[in-house]
Amino acid sequence: AQTVTQSQPEMSVQEAETVTLSCTYDTSESDYYLFWYKQPPSRQMILVIRQEAYKQQNATENRFSVNFQKAAKSFSLKISDSQLGDAAMYFCAYRSPQGAQKLVFGQGTRLTINP
Amino acid sequence: DTAVSQTPKYLVTQMGNDKSIKCEQNLGHDTMYWYKQDSKKFLKIMFSYNNKELIINETVPNRFSPKSPDKAHLNLHINSLELGDSAVYFCASSHVSRGRGIYGYTFGSGTRLTVV
């Protein structure tokens, strides 16, 4: 079974600076999908960014980018020019292309933005 | 238009009661899911239906029973509620891709269940 590990329960960053959230996963599959979700205090789960394992190019979405290291099974999220609205729980998630394709989540990282 | 809607958003009830949470999606997705988020914010899948067929049934007490009348609806009924059932329950939907597509889930806004 696949597992996802986020080793940083909490992180903080000054507004306008850059922060990187870590994620590692364990799988025997060669093809899969990885995601970062954001959960602000409103509780809504918001998709931030996605990455296909067969693509070597790292995904980017505006101020959000990932560092995908397939051999190391690492998928970190970089947030540039941090804004107060970025404060939230961030979840890394793995999705297999096989079977029911359920999302397996990491434990989450709580990100605080200091003004 | 809300893509995945859950009702109710909040539910406070006494131990031993039976309650239901409803979920509807208007995205045309073929698969729907129930996730439980515990007090430590950990998200774990409970059930999944694909075109009204149960395809995931994780280790969940029998008191929890999902029902999918059609592929746009997935309800969760809980019998004999216990204190430990208190959590946030999320409904989600997605396509199940058999090709080289990438699909995230679209989540509902969650139902905070408090058992007293």
Side-chain angles (χ1 to χ4, degrees):
Chain A
Q2 296 86 15
T3 58
V4 179
T5 302
Q6 293 177 249
S7 59
Q8 306 155 315
E10 297 184 353
M11 292 283 285
S12 63
V13 64
Q14 289 297 124
E15 193 175 3
E17 294 191 348
T18 295
V19 64
T20 298
L21 308 184
S22 300
C23 173
T24 58
Y25 56 93
D26 188 30
T27 184
S28 58
E29 296 177 320
S30 59
D31 198 12
Y32 47 86
Y33 308 125
L34 297 165
F35 303 84
W36 278 98
Y37 277 86
K38 168 185 177 181
Q39 187 180 38
S42 67
R43 200 169 72 202
Q44 185 67 48
M45 294 289 289
I46 302 165
L47 178 62
V48 174
I49 199 164
R50 69 191 79 185
Q51 175 80 44
E52 293 134 305
Y54 65 88
K55 289 187 176 179
Q56 293 187 347
Q57 187 173 4
N58 288 325
T60 62
E61 289 284 343
N62 300 314
R63 298 183 295 107
F64 298 86
S65 61
V66 298
N67 184 3
F68 173 49
Q69 301 288 329
K70 191 172 183 179
K73 295 180 183 174
S74 170
F75 183 60
S76 60
L77 175 69
K78 185 171 84 169
I79 306 174
S80 303
D81 185 26
S82 298
Q83 300 176 0
L84 294 177
D86 295 333
M89 285 288 291
Y90 285 82
F91 293 95
C92 179
Y94 174 103
R95 186 172 188 181
S96 168
Q98 305 299 324
Q101 302 186 0
K102 65 182 181 182
L103 267 182
V104 177
F105 286 91
Q107 304 91 324
T109 297
R110 183 179 300 280
L111 178 64
T112 302
I113 311 295
N114 300 315
Chain B
D1 267 353
T2 303
V4 180
S5 61
Q6 282 180 242
T7 53
K9 287 190 174 11
Y10 298 93
L11 188 53
V12 181
T13 187
Q14 291 187 327
M15 281 176 55
N17 284 350
D18 303 340
K19 290 293 179 185
S20 292
I21 305 172
K22 296 187 175 183
C23 180
E24 176 182 4
Q25 56 98 0
N26 61 7
L27 297 166
H29 288 161
D30 56 15
T31 306
M32 296 184 72
Y33 307 83
W34 279 111
Y35 276 77
K36 179 180 180 180
Q37 186 173 42
D38 62 23
S39 58
K40 295 184 179 178
K41 301 291 188 183
F42 187 65
L43 283 148
K44 191 175 190 314
I45 192 164
M46 300 172 69
F47 302 104
S48 175
Y49 272 77
N50 176 262
N51 287 320
K52 301 195 297 176
E53 179 186 352
L54 182 66
I55 57 173
I56 296 176
N57 186 352
E58 296 286 304
T59 307
V60 177
N62 291 337
R63 300 180 295 101
F64 290 79
S65 55
K67 282 188 172 49
S68 181
D70 56 60
K71 73 174 190 178
H73 295 84
L74 179 61
N75 304 323
L76 183 65
H77 188 75
I78 315 170
N79 289 327
S80 304
L81 277 155
E82 300 177 357
L83 293 177
D85 297 332
S86 296
V88 178
Y89 293 85
F90 282 98
C91 177
S93 72
S94 177
H95 279 303
V96 171
S97 169
R98 298 302 173 200
R100 268 276 167 89
I102 178 170
Y103 299 103
Y105 286 13
T106 302
F107 283 86
S109 56
T111 297
R112 180 176 294 282
L113 171 65
T114 304
V115 183
V116 298

